Amino acid sequence: MSGTIAVAPDKRWSAAGWLFEWAVEALAEDLDDDAAVASLREIVDDNLGWLGLDDLSPAVRAEVLRRIRTELVDRADRELPPTLPNRSEAVDLLRDLSRLAENA
Protein backbone atom coordinates (compact mmCIF):
# COMPACT_ATOMS: atom_id res chain seq x y z
CA MET A 1 0.00 0.00 0.00
CA SER A 2 1.13 3.54 -0.64
CA GLY A 3 0.00 7.01 0.29
CA THR A 4 -0.12 10.33 -1.50
CA ILE A 5 0.13 13.92 -0.34
CA ALA A 6 -1.33 16.42 -2.79
CA VAL A 7 0.70 19.53 -2.05
CA ALA A 8 -1.22 21.35 -4.80
CA PRO A 9 -3.67 20.10 -7.42
CA ASP A 10 -0.82 19.45 -9.86
CA LYS A 11 1.88 18.49 -7.34
CA ARG A 12 1.62 15.08 -5.73
CA TRP A 13 4.05 13.05 -3.67
CA SER A 14 3.65 9.30 -3.21
CA ALA A 15 5.52 6.94 -0.94
CA ALA A 16 5.20 3.58 0.76
CA GLY A 17 2.35 3.46 3.25
CA TRP A 18 4.61 3.40 6.31
CA LEU A 19 6.51 6.55 5.18
CA PHE A 20 3.29 8.35 4.24
CA GLU A 21 1.85 7.54 7.67
CA TRP A 22 5.04 8.62 9.43
CA ALA A 23 4.95 11.95 7.56
CA VAL A 24 1.26 12.59 8.27
CA GLU A 25 1.70 11.75 11.96
CA ALA A 26 4.71 14.06 12.18
CA LEU A 27 2.75 16.86 10.52
CA ALA A 28 -0.21 16.37 12.88
CA GLU A 29 1.92 16.61 16.00
CA ASP A 30 1.54 19.87 17.91
CA LEU A 31 -0.80 21.55 15.42
CA ASP A 32 -2.94 24.20 17.12
CA ASP A 33 -6.08 23.17 15.23
CA ASP A 34 -7.76 20.22 16.99
CA ALA A 35 -10.02 19.49 14.01
CA ALA A 36 -7.02 19.32 11.67
CA VAL A 37 -5.16 17.03 14.08
CA ALA A 38 -8.20 14.73 14.24
CA SER A 39 -8.49 14.74 10.45
CA LEU A 40 -4.81 13.88 9.94
CA ARG A 41 -4.94 11.13 12.55
CA GLU A 42 -8.08 9.72 10.92
CA ILE A 43 -6.17 9.48 7.62
CA VAL A 44 -3.56 7.33 9.36
CA ASP A 45 -5.93 5.33 11.58
CA ASP A 46 -8.28 4.46 8.71
CA ASN A 47 -5.45 3.79 6.21
CA LEU A 48 -6.92 6.29 3.77
CA GLY A 49 -3.62 6.88 1.97
CA TRP A 50 -4.49 10.41 0.83
CA LEU A 51 -3.84 13.87 2.22
CA GLY A 52 -4.91 16.82 0.10
CA LEU A 53 -3.47 20.00 1.56
CA ASP A 54 -6.14 22.03 -0.23
CA ASP A 55 -8.66 20.32 2.06
CA LEU A 56 -7.11 22.05 5.08
CA SER A 57 -7.97 25.55 6.25
CA PRO A 58 -5.63 28.22 4.85
CA ALA A 59 -3.87 28.70 8.20
CA VAL A 60 -3.34 24.98 8.77
CA ARG A 61 -2.27 24.47 5.16
CA ALA A 62 0.35 27.23 5.53
CA GLU A 63 1.65 25.67 8.75
CA VAL A 64 1.81 22.17 7.25
CA LEU A 65 3.64 23.49 4.18
CA ARG A 66 6.10 25.32 6.43
CA ARG A 67 6.76 22.13 8.39
CA ILE A 68 7.25 20.12 5.21
CA ARG A 69 9.71 22.71 3.89
CA THR A 70 11.68 23.30 7.08
CA GLU A 71 11.28 20.44 9.55
CA LEU A 72 10.27 17.11 8.07
CA VAL A 73 13.62 16.01 6.56
CA ASP A 74 15.57 16.97 9.68
CA ARG A 75 13.07 15.13 11.84
CA ALA A 76 13.42 12.03 9.68
CA ASP A 77 17.20 12.24 10.01
CA ARG A 78 16.80 12.30 13.80
CA GLU A 79 13.99 9.78 14.24
CA LEU A 80 14.25 7.10 11.57
CA PRO A 81 16.41 4.28 12.92
CA PRO A 82 19.82 3.90 11.27
CA THR A 83 19.08 0.19 10.77
CA LEU A 84 15.92 0.93 8.76
CA PRO A 85 16.20 -0.78 5.37
CA ASN A 86 16.45 1.80 2.57
CA ARG A 87 16.63 4.62 5.13
CA SER A 88 18.54 6.96 2.81
CA GLU A 89 15.98 6.45 0.06
CA ALA A 90 13.17 7.25 2.49
CA VAL A 91 14.88 10.49 3.55
CA ASP A 92 15.45 11.34 -0.12
CA LEU A 93 11.72 10.86 -0.78
CA LEU A 94 10.97 13.29 2.03
CA ARG A 95 13.40 15.74 0.41
CA ASP A 96 11.35 15.41 -2.76
CA LEU A 97 8.23 16.30 -0.77
CA SER A 98 10.03 19.28 0.72
CA ARG A 99 10.96 20.52 -2.77
CA LEU A 100 7.34 20.22 -3.90
CA ALA A 101 6.24 22.25 -0.89
CA GLU A 102 8.75 25.00 -1.69
CA ASN A 103 6.99 25.65 -4.96
CA ALA A 104 3.43 25.37 -3.67
XYZ file of all heavy atoms in Angstrom:
810
model
N 0.840 -1.172 0.000
C 0.000 0.000 0.000
C 0.887 1.238 0.000
O 1.967 1.249 0.557
C -0.908 -0.004 1.223
C -1.909 1.125 1.190
S -3.167 0.959 2.452
C -2.440 1.942 3.737
N 0.404 2.284 -0.615
C 1.130 3.540 -0.642
C 0.204 4.670 -0.215
O -0.990 4.469 -0.026
C 1.682 3.805 -2.038
O 0.629 4.005 -2.950
N 0.786 5.834 -0.060
C 0.004 7.011 0.288
C 0.473 8.195 -0.526
O 1.613 8.231 -0.996
N -0.409 9.155 -0.690
C -0.115 10.331 -1.504
C -0.472 11.595 -0.749
O -1.530 11.669 -0.115
C -0.913 10.283 -2.828
O -0.518 9.111 -3.548
C -0.663 11.516 -3.680
N 0.403 12.577 -0.838
C 0.128 13.917 -0.337
C 0.031 14.827 -1.549
O 0.980 14.924 -2.333
C 1.221 14.415 0.625
C 1.256 13.541 1.879
C 0.981 15.890 0.996
C 2.360 13.895 2.869
N -1.134 15.442 -1.720
C -1.331 16.417 -2.791
C -0.977 17.782 -2.217
O -1.756 18.379 -1.483
C -2.762 16.385 -3.302
N 0.218 18.245 -2.544
C 0.695 19.530 -2.055
C -0.086 20.655 -2.731
O -0.400 21.669 -2.127
C 2.211 19.661 -2.313
C 2.733 21.021 -1.923
C 2.965 18.562 -1.558
N -0.401 20.453 -3.983
C -1.222 21.349 -4.796
C -1.932 20.455 -5.805
O -1.561 19.289 -5.960
C -0.351 22.396 -5.489
N -2.940 20.964 -6.493
C -3.667 20.098 -7.422
C -2.767 19.395 -8.446
O -3.026 18.261 -8.815
C -4.640 21.051 -8.106
C -4.864 22.138 -7.102
C -3.538 22.295 -6.392
N -1.704 20.036 -8.850
C -0.823 19.452 -9.863
C 0.508 18.967 -9.298
O 1.419 18.632 -10.044
C -0.576 20.466 -10.980
C 0.113 21.725 -10.474
O 0.039 22.004 -9.265
O 0.723 22.432 -11.294
N 0.627 18.918 -7.970
C 1.877 18.488 -7.336
C 1.565 17.439 -6.285
O 1.029 17.748 -5.220
C 2.589 19.677 -6.691
C 3.036 20.675 -7.716
C 3.712 21.848 -7.085
C 3.969 22.828 -8.213
N 4.991 23.734 -7.999
N 1.923 16.202 -6.623
C 1.624 15.084 -5.725
C 2.894 14.315 -5.402
O 3.765 14.145 -6.250
C 0.611 14.151 -6.377
C -0.718 14.810 -6.573
C -1.715 13.880 -7.173
N -2.978 14.576 -7.348
C -4.015 14.059 -7.942
N -3.960 12.831 -8.419
N -5.128 14.752 -8.057
N 2.934 13.850 -4.163
C 4.049 13.051 -3.673
C 3.488 11.728 -3.195
O 2.521 11.698 -2.441
C 4.719 13.797 -2.523
C 5.792 13.065 -1.795
C 7.108 12.990 -2.147
C 5.667 12.329 -0.569
N 7.797 12.259 -1.219
C 6.939 11.841 -0.234
C 4.596 12.052 0.276
C 7.163 11.081 0.905
C 4.810 11.289 1.407
C 6.098 10.811 1.711
N 4.092 10.637 -3.637
C 3.654 9.305 -3.206
C 4.821 8.551 -2.604
O 5.970 8.707 -3.044
C 3.081 8.516 -4.387
O 1.889 9.112 -4.830
N 4.497 7.740 -1.617
C 5.518 6.937 -0.937
C 4.866 5.687 -0.380
O 3.634 5.568 -0.355
C 6.158 7.750 0.187
N 5.701 4.791 0.099
C 5.196 3.582 0.758
C 4.292 3.989 1.914
O 4.472 5.049 2.522
C 6.367 2.746 1.270
N 3.327 3.151 2.215
C 2.355 3.463 3.252
C 2.971 3.829 4.584
O 2.533 4.771 5.237
N 4.005 3.117 4.998
C 4.611 3.405 6.306
C 5.229 4.799 6.330
O 5.128 5.498 7.331
C 5.639 2.344 6.692
C 6.925 2.426 5.908
C 7.228 1.737 4.767
C 8.058 3.244 6.206
N 8.479 2.094 4.327
C 9.010 3.017 5.192
C 8.355 4.155 7.216
C 10.255 3.647 5.168
C 9.595 4.805 7.180
C 10.525 4.543 6.176
N 5.868 5.234 5.212
C 6.507 6.547 5.176
C 5.457 7.650 5.087
O 5.572 8.688 5.745
C 7.492 6.640 4.012
C 8.314 7.922 3.923
C 9.123 8.151 5.201
C 9.228 7.881 2.703
N 4.414 7.412 4.301
C 3.295 8.354 4.238
C 2.704 8.547 5.632
O 2.507 9.673 6.083
C 2.235 7.831 3.262
C 0.922 8.545 3.340
C 0.736 9.759 2.702
C -0.143 7.999 4.056
C -0.490 10.424 2.772
C -1.363 8.649 4.128
C -1.536 9.871 3.490
N 2.437 7.450 6.325
C 1.849 7.537 7.667
C 2.784 8.238 8.638
O 2.344 9.045 9.459
C 1.460 6.144 8.170
C 0.277 5.589 7.415
C -0.132 4.202 7.855
O 0.527 3.614 8.757
O -1.112 3.691 7.305
N 4.085 7.952 8.559
C 5.041 8.624 9.431
C 4.993 10.134 9.179
O 4.967 10.922 10.128
C 6.462 8.085 9.192
C 7.472 8.742 10.064
C 7.854 8.365 11.314
C 8.188 9.950 9.775
N 8.769 9.254 11.814
C 8.993 10.234 10.885
C 8.229 10.810 8.684
C 9.833 11.351 10.942
C 9.059 11.925 8.730
C 9.847 12.180 9.853
N 4.968 10.527 7.914
C 4.949 11.953 7.565
C 3.670 12.623 8.054
O 3.714 13.707 8.646
C 5.105 12.129 6.052
N 2.530 11.995 7.841
C 1.259 12.592 8.269
C 1.212 12.709 9.796
O 0.788 13.735 10.330
C 0.059 11.797 7.713
C -1.258 12.297 8.292
C 0.026 11.874 6.184
N 1.666 11.678 10.494
C 1.696 11.747 11.959
C 2.620 12.863 12.440
O 2.289 13.602 13.370
C 2.134 10.406 12.544
C 1.069 9.343 12.437
C 1.546 7.969 12.878
O 2.743 7.808 13.206
O 0.720 7.045 12.884
N 3.775 13.000 11.802
C 4.711 14.061 12.178
C 4.099 15.433 11.924
O 4.269 16.356 12.727
C 6.021 13.910 11.401
N 3.373 15.577 10.836
C 2.749 16.861 10.517
C 1.599 17.182 11.469
O 1.335 18.347 11.768
C 2.258 16.865 9.070
C 3.367 16.790 8.010
C 2.782 16.544 6.633
C 4.229 18.043 8.039
N 0.918 16.161 11.962
C -0.208 16.370 12.878
C 0.254 16.784 14.275
O -0.469 17.496 14.976
C -1.047 15.095 12.981
N 1.435 16.364 14.639
C 1.922 16.607 15.997
C 2.035 18.098 16.284
O 2.599 18.860 15.500
C 3.284 15.941 16.162
C 3.724 15.827 17.588
C 4.960 14.960 17.694
O 4.840 13.745 17.459
O 6.019 15.514 17.996
N 1.455 18.500 17.392
C 1.543 19.870 17.908
C 0.853 20.933 17.054
O 1.107 22.120 17.241
C 3.002 20.286 18.140
C 3.691 19.398 19.166
O 3.000 18.959 20.111
O 4.885 19.138 19.024
N -0.013 20.536 16.136
C -0.795 21.550 15.422
C -1.762 22.195 16.402
O -2.281 21.532 17.305
C -1.600 20.926 14.272
C -0.891 20.693 12.951
C -1.847 20.007 11.969
C -0.348 21.965 12.354
N -2.032 23.475 16.224
C -2.936 24.204 17.125
C -4.414 23.963 16.815
O -5.267 24.321 17.606
C -2.655 25.706 17.053
C -1.335 26.067 17.708
O -0.875 25.313 18.583
O -0.773 27.108 17.333
N -4.705 23.375 15.679
C -6.078 23.174 15.234
C -6.503 21.737 15.540
O -6.071 20.789 14.864
C -6.163 23.471 13.735
C -7.559 23.427 13.195
O -8.247 22.398 13.396
O -7.966 24.407 12.551
N -7.344 21.561 16.567
C -7.765 20.219 16.989
C -8.487 19.457 15.883
O -8.318 18.241 15.753
C -8.655 20.297 18.227
C -7.894 20.743 19.464
O -6.650 20.630 19.494
O -8.550 21.213 20.414
N -9.294 20.151 15.097
C -10.018 19.491 14.006
C -9.040 18.972 12.952
O -9.216 17.865 12.424
C -11.024 20.453 13.380
N -8.017 19.747 12.658
C -7.019 19.317 11.675
C -6.233 18.118 12.200
O -5.972 17.167 11.454
C -6.087 20.468 11.330
N -5.869 18.157 13.471
C -5.157 17.026 14.078
C -6.015 15.770 13.980
O -5.540 14.699 13.575
C -4.780 17.322 15.548
C -4.270 16.071 16.244
C -3.754 18.440 15.617
N -7.287 15.884 14.316
C -8.196 14.735 14.238
C -8.307 14.221 12.812
O -8.312 13.006 12.580
C -9.572 15.119 14.780
N -8.382 15.120 11.859
C -8.490 14.740 10.452
C -7.233 14.006 9.982
O -7.318 12.972 9.309
C -8.732 15.984 9.605
O -8.792 15.650 8.254
N -6.065 14.526 10.342
C -4.815 13.879 9.935
C -4.673 12.515 10.600
O -4.256 11.546 9.959
C -3.624 14.769 10.268
C -3.533 16.085 9.485
C -2.347 16.911 9.944
C -3.464 15.837 7.999
N -5.043 12.431 11.853
C -4.943 11.134 12.545
C -5.935 10.123 11.978
O -5.666 8.926 11.921
C -5.126 11.330 14.040
C -3.943 12.105 14.609
C -3.643 11.773 16.032
N -2.345 12.332 16.371
C -2.157 13.238 17.315
N -3.164 13.672 18.035
N -0.940 13.692 17.560
N -7.099 10.604 11.549
C -8.076 9.717 10.918
C -7.516 9.142 9.617
O -7.742 7.967 9.304
C -9.371 10.480 10.647
C -10.444 9.626 9.994
C -11.724 10.406 9.720
O -11.720 11.651 9.797
O -12.728 9.750 9.409
N -6.798 9.952 8.867
C -6.173 9.481 7.623
C -5.255 8.298 7.918
O -5.274 7.296 7.196
C -5.401 10.631 6.934
C -6.393 11.642 6.354
C -4.461 10.109 5.858
C -5.764 12.953 5.909
N -4.475 8.411 8.983
C -3.560 7.328 9.356
C -4.336 6.147 9.937
O -4.154 5.007 9.502
C -2.500 7.836 10.352
C -1.668 6.685 10.896
C -1.609 8.886 9.688
N -5.209 6.413 10.889
C -5.928 5.329 11.576
C -6.791 4.499 10.629
O -6.918 3.288 10.801
C -6.801 5.891 12.696
C -5.988 6.470 13.844
O -4.766 6.199 13.924
O -6.578 7.211 14.657
N -7.386 5.166 9.645
C -8.275 4.464 8.713
C -7.573 4.031 7.434
O -8.233 3.574 6.487
C -9.484 5.344 8.382
C -10.391 5.554 9.579
O -10.246 4.831 10.588
O -11.257 6.455 9.517
N -6.241 4.197 7.384
C -5.446 3.790 6.211
C -5.997 4.376 4.914
O -6.123 3.686 3.909
C -5.375 2.265 6.102
C -4.656 1.648 7.266
O -3.582 2.095 7.654
N -5.257 0.622 7.848
N -6.315 5.658 4.945
C -6.916 6.290 3.774
C -5.908 6.532 2.657
O -6.282 6.548 1.483
C -7.605 7.603 4.169
C -8.743 7.445 5.174
C -9.340 8.802 5.507
C -9.810 6.492 4.651
N -4.647 6.764 3.000
C -3.617 6.881 1.971
C -3.662 8.158 1.151
O -3.032 8.229 0.098
N -4.365 9.168 1.597
C -4.492 10.413 0.827
C -4.588 11.605 1.774
O -5.406 11.597 2.695
C -5.728 10.373 -0.053
C -5.977 11.672 -0.772
C -6.780 12.697 -0.370
C -5.411 12.094 -2.007
N -6.746 13.724 -1.276
C -5.909 13.390 -2.303
C -4.514 11.504 -2.899
C -5.551 14.093 -3.442
C -4.158 12.206 -4.046
C -4.683 13.474 -4.305
N -3.750 12.594 1.530
C -3.842 13.868 2.223
C -3.777 14.961 1.174
O -2.753 15.126 0.507
C -2.696 14.042 3.232
C -2.544 15.438 3.850
C -3.813 15.869 4.573
C -1.340 15.480 4.773
N -4.873 15.675 1.005
C -4.909 16.819 0.105
C -4.776 18.091 0.922
O -5.674 18.405 1.714
N -3.680 18.803 0.759
C -3.467 20.005 1.565
C -4.507 21.077 1.275
O -4.798 21.904 2.142
C -2.057 20.553 1.357
C -0.910 19.638 1.788
C 0.413 20.389 1.736
C -1.131 19.038 3.155
N -5.087 21.068 0.092
C -6.142 22.033 -0.226
C -7.410 21.785 0.592
O -8.275 22.656 0.662
C -6.473 22.004 -1.722
C -5.421 22.711 -2.559
O -4.592 23.450 -1.984
O -5.420 22.525 -3.791
N -7.515 20.609 1.217
C -8.665 20.316 2.065
C -8.533 20.937 3.456
O -9.497 20.944 4.219
C -8.855 18.801 2.212
C -9.207 18.128 0.892
O -9.745 18.818 -0.001
O -8.930 16.924 0.759
N -7.350 21.437 3.774
C -7.106 22.052 5.082
C -7.459 23.530 5.037
O -7.460 24.147 3.971
C -5.629 21.884 5.462
C -5.101 20.453 5.514
C -3.594 20.451 5.721
C -5.798 19.663 6.606
N -7.718 24.107 6.200
C -7.967 25.546 6.250
C -6.696 26.273 5.798
O -5.595 25.717 5.887
C -8.339 25.975 7.667
O -7.190 25.920 8.497
N -6.820 27.496 5.314
C -5.630 28.217 4.846
C -4.523 28.322 5.900
O -3.343 28.151 5.581
C -6.176 29.601 4.466
C -7.598 29.339 4.084
C -8.056 28.243 5.024
N -4.883 28.571 7.156
C -3.866 28.701 8.199
C -3.163 27.366 8.465
O -1.932 27.316 8.596
C -4.491 29.226 9.485
N -3.935 26.293 8.532
C -3.343 24.976 8.774
C -2.516 24.554 7.570
O -1.407 24.027 7.720
C -4.431 23.935 9.106
C -3.847 22.529 9.152
C -5.102 24.271 10.429
N -3.020 24.802 6.379
C -2.270 24.473 5.159
C -0.929 25.182 5.163
O 0.109 24.578 4.874
C -3.073 24.856 3.917
C -2.372 24.514 2.628
C -3.242 24.908 1.410
N -2.638 24.491 0.181
C -1.692 25.179 -0.462
N -1.244 26.316 0.021
N -1.187 24.714 -1.596
N -0.904 26.466 5.494
C 0.347 27.226 5.535
C 1.320 26.638 6.555
O 2.522 26.523 6.283
C 0.064 28.691 5.842
N 0.802 26.257 7.721
C 1.648 25.669 8.752
C 2.197 24.315 8.316
O 3.375 24.011 8.521
C 0.882 25.535 10.066
C 1.631 24.840 11.178
C 2.904 25.543 11.640
O 3.139 26.716 11.258
O 3.682 24.919 12.378
N 1.362 23.487 7.720
C 1.806 22.173 7.252
C 2.857 22.337 6.157
O 3.887 21.653 6.165
C 0.606 21.319 6.797
C 1.051 20.090 6.031
C -0.242 20.917 8.004
N 2.638 23.244 5.225
C 3.638 23.492 4.183
C 4.956 23.969 4.786
O 6.036 23.534 4.359
C 3.120 24.522 3.171
C 2.123 23.998 2.146
C 1.490 25.155 1.387
C 2.802 23.021 1.185
N 4.881 24.849 5.776
C 6.103 25.324 6.433
C 6.849 24.162 7.065
O 8.064 24.029 6.916
C 5.765 26.367 7.497
C 7.025 26.977 8.152
C 6.702 27.743 9.418
N 6.199 26.906 10.496
C 6.947 26.072 11.227
N 8.235 25.937 10.987
N 6.396 25.361 12.199
N 6.121 23.286 7.741
C 6.758 22.133 8.386
C 7.385 21.185 7.365
O 8.464 20.652 7.592
C 5.747 21.372 9.233
C 5.350 22.112 10.469
C 4.325 21.328 11.231
N 3.960 22.018 12.446
C 3.369 21.427 13.457
N 3.067 20.146 13.406
N 3.070 22.122 14.530
N 6.690 20.981 6.256
C 7.248 20.116 5.213
C 8.545 20.726 4.691
O 9.540 20.030 4.502
C 6.233 19.911 4.070
C 5.053 19.058 4.550
C 6.911 19.256 2.867
C 3.895 18.996 3.563
N 8.532 22.026 4.447
C 9.709 22.708 3.889
C 10.880 22.760 4.866
O 12.031 22.645 4.445
C 9.361 24.136 3.482
C 8.530 24.244 2.241
C 8.431 25.687 1.762
N 7.844 26.569 2.753
C 6.564 26.945 2.782
N 5.743 26.510 1.854
N 6.120 27.747 3.714
N 10.596 22.963 6.149
C 11.680 23.298 7.078
C 11.984 22.255 8.149
O 13.043 22.321 8.749
C 11.376 24.634 7.796
O 10.193 24.476 8.590
C 11.184 25.761 6.796
N 11.080 21.325 8.401
C 11.277 20.437 9.551
C 11.279 18.945 9.236
O 11.938 18.173 9.938
C 10.176 20.691 10.598
C 10.176 22.080 11.169
C 8.999 22.320 12.106
O 8.245 21.367 12.408
O 8.831 23.476 12.532
N 10.545 18.534 8.246
C 10.274 17.105 8.066
C 11.536 16.288 7.776
O 11.731 15.217 8.362
C 9.233 16.913 6.964
C 8.436 15.634 7.003
C 7.699 15.457 8.331
C 7.450 15.592 5.862
N 12.403 16.769 6.901
C 13.615 16.013 6.560
C 14.540 15.909 7.774
O 15.060 14.824 8.071
C 14.336 16.646 5.355
C 15.682 15.971 5.106
C 13.461 16.555 4.104
N 14.728 17.012 8.490
C 15.573 16.972 9.685
C 15.002 16.021 10.727
O 15.752 15.292 11.389
C 15.734 18.372 10.287
C 16.592 19.278 9.430
O 17.374 18.763 8.595
O 16.478 20.497 9.581
N 13.708 16.039 10.874
C 13.074 15.132 11.840
C 13.296 13.677 11.438
O 13.585 12.823 12.286
C 11.584 15.449 11.938
C 10.888 14.625 12.974
C 9.486 15.094 13.205
N 8.866 14.270 14.211
C 7.738 14.554 14.806
N 7.090 15.668 14.505
N 7.225 13.753 15.704
N 13.167 13.387 10.162
C 13.415 12.025 9.683
C 14.858 11.617 9.959
O 15.121 10.488 10.392
C 13.102 11.924 8.199
N 15.796 12.532 9.724
C 17.201 12.237 10.011
C 17.402 11.884 11.479
O 18.208 11.014 11.804
C 18.090 13.429 9.648
C 18.532 13.409 8.192
O 18.567 12.321 7.589
O 18.840 14.492 7.670
N 16.676 12.557 12.363
C 16.798 12.299 13.802
C 16.059 11.034 14.238
O 16.536 10.307 15.104
C 16.238 13.472 14.612
C 17.086 14.695 14.655
C 16.571 15.702 15.678
N 15.129 15.906 15.681
C 14.485 16.796 14.919
N 15.155 17.537 14.075
N 13.174 16.915 15.000
N 14.886 10.802 13.686
C 13.990 9.781 14.239
C 14.013 8.426 13.537
O 13.743 7.413 14.177
C 12.558 10.314 14.250
C 12.361 11.455 15.212
C 10.924 11.926 15.279
O 10.031 11.285 14.661
O 10.683 12.944 15.946
N 14.264 8.402 12.256
C 14.251 7.100 11.574
C 15.484 6.306 12.001
O 16.599 6.816 11.957
C 14.216 7.287 10.053
C 12.956 7.927 9.486
C 13.064 8.064 7.970
C 11.707 7.145 9.855
N 15.289 5.075 12.410
C 16.413 4.281 12.919
C 17.485 4.063 11.848
O 17.161 3.854 10.670
C 15.775 2.945 13.306
C 14.309 3.122 13.208
C 14.034 4.350 12.418
N 18.747 4.106 12.245
C 19.825 3.901 11.274
C 19.788 2.507 10.638
O 20.316 2.317 9.544
C 21.109 4.093 12.086
C 20.716 4.301 13.490
C 19.231 4.405 13.576
N 19.154 1.557 11.302
C 19.076 0.192 10.773
C 17.882 -0.009 9.836
O 17.701 -1.103 9.305
C 18.967 -0.810 11.933
O 17.829 -0.466 12.729
C 20.238 -0.787 12.788
N 17.085 1.030 9.635
C 15.919 0.932 8.756
C 16.363 0.603 7.335
O 17.198 1.306 6.766
C 15.148 2.261 8.762
C 13.905 2.332 7.886
C 12.781 1.507 8.505
C 13.468 3.774 7.728
N 15.846 -0.485 6.755
C 16.201 -0.784 5.368
C 15.812 0.391 4.453
O 14.746 0.980 4.609
C 15.369 -2.031 5.037
C 15.033 -2.632 6.365
C 14.938 -1.472 7.323
N 16.683 0.726 3.545
C 16.449 1.802 2.570
C 16.193 3.153 3.235
O 15.474 3.989 2.709
C 15.298 1.449 1.630
C 15.550 0.177 0.869
O 16.646 -0.041 0.361
N 14.564 -0.687 0.815
N 16.817 3.367 4.381
C 16.629 4.616 5.125
C 16.984 5.840 4.280
O 16.250 6.822 4.257
C 17.478 4.593 6.397
C 17.308 5.822 7.263
C 18.290 5.770 8.445
N 18.036 6.818 9.394
C 18.428 8.075 9.235
N 19.088 8.431 8.153
N 18.150 8.976 10.160
N 18.120 5.797 3.599
C 18.542 6.963 2.813
C 17.560 7.265 1.692
O 17.294 8.432 1.388
C 19.957 6.787 2.270
O 20.029 5.699 1.374
N 16.988 6.235 1.105
C 15.984 6.447 0.064
C 14.726 7.085 0.642
O 14.102 7.940 0.008
C 15.636 5.129 -0.649
C 16.737 4.605 -1.547
C 17.759 3.740 -0.809
O 17.717 3.661 0.453
O 18.617 3.151 -1.486
N 14.345 6.670 1.840
C 13.169 7.251 2.493
C 13.396 8.738 2.773
O 12.516 9.573 2.515
C 12.852 6.507 3.788
N 14.566 9.083 3.278
C 14.880 10.490 3.547
C 14.908 11.274 2.236
O 14.421 12.409 2.170
C 16.193 10.616 4.344
C 16.601 12.081 4.501
C 16.061 9.951 5.713
N 15.444 10.673 1.186
C 15.447 11.340 -0.120
C 14.028 11.592 -0.622
O 13.747 12.638 -1.223
C 16.221 10.521 -1.155
C 17.731 10.612 -0.968
O 18.198 11.539 -0.261
O 18.432 9.749 -1.525
N 13.119 10.650 -0.389
C 11.721 10.858 -0.779
C 11.110 12.034 -0.017
O 10.347 12.822 -0.580
C 10.900 9.593 -0.534
C 10.960 8.532 -1.608
C 10.262 7.261 -1.143
C 10.332 9.028 -2.894
N 11.456 12.151 1.251
C 10.967 13.289 2.034
C 11.568 14.598 1.526
O 10.903 15.632 1.544
C 11.257 13.085 3.518
C 10.444 11.960 4.165
C 10.999 11.617 5.533
C 8.974 12.331 4.241
N 12.809 14.551 1.041
C 13.402 15.743 0.415
C 12.611 16.131 -0.838
O 12.419 17.324 -1.103
C 14.857 15.489 0.048
C 15.803 15.656 1.170
C 17.265 15.659 0.714
N 18.098 15.630 1.881
C 18.577 14.529 2.465
N 18.320 13.365 1.944
N 19.316 14.618 3.546
N 12.178 15.138 -1.586
C 11.348 15.413 -2.765
C 10.057 16.124 -2.354
O 9.631 17.080 -3.012
C 11.007 14.122 -3.519
C 12.210 13.483 -4.186
O 13.243 14.162 -4.367
O 12.108 12.283 -4.521
N 9.444 15.652 -1.278
C 8.230 16.304 -0.768
C 8.528 17.736 -0.359
O 7.755 18.644 -0.670
C 7.671 15.503 0.408
C 6.472 16.101 1.134
C 5.295 16.321 0.193
C 6.075 15.226 2.325
N 9.653 17.940 0.293
C 10.034 19.283 0.717
C 10.198 20.211 -0.486
O 9.751 21.370 -0.463
C 11.341 19.208 1.511
O 11.758 20.490 1.901
N 10.793 19.714 -1.553
C 10.956 20.525 -2.771
C 9.605 20.876 -3.383
O 9.406 21.996 -3.856
C 11.827 19.794 -3.788
C 13.293 19.851 -3.467
C 14.128 19.265 -4.600
N 15.312 18.657 -4.049
C 15.479 17.366 -3.784
N 14.523 16.503 -4.030
N 16.602 16.911 -3.275
N 8.694 19.937 -3.384
C 7.345 20.222 -3.896
C 6.682 21.330 -3.085
O 6.032 22.208 -3.635
C 6.474 18.968 -3.858
C 6.644 17.940 -4.948
C 5.747 16.740 -4.670
C 6.336 18.524 -6.298
N 6.859 21.262 -1.766
C 6.238 22.253 -0.889
C 6.847 23.639 -1.086
O 6.160 24.650 -0.902
C 6.378 21.819 0.569
N 8.108 23.700 -1.458
C 8.753 24.996 -1.687
C 8.096 25.745 -2.839
O 8.096 26.959 -2.859
C 10.240 24.806 -1.967
C 11.024 24.456 -0.738
C 12.501 24.223 -1.029
O 12.954 24.538 -2.149
O 13.187 23.728 -0.125
N 7.578 25.020 -3.775
C 6.994 25.648 -4.964
C 5.477 25.718 -4.914
O 4.845 26.040 -5.907
C 7.431 24.875 -6.216
C 8.944 24.870 -6.374
O 9.583 25.895 -6.168
N 9.508 23.730 -6.705
N 4.906 25.386 -3.767
C 3.433 25.369 -3.675
C 2.917 26.701 -3.160
O 3.573 27.430 -2.474
C 2.979 24.252 -2.745
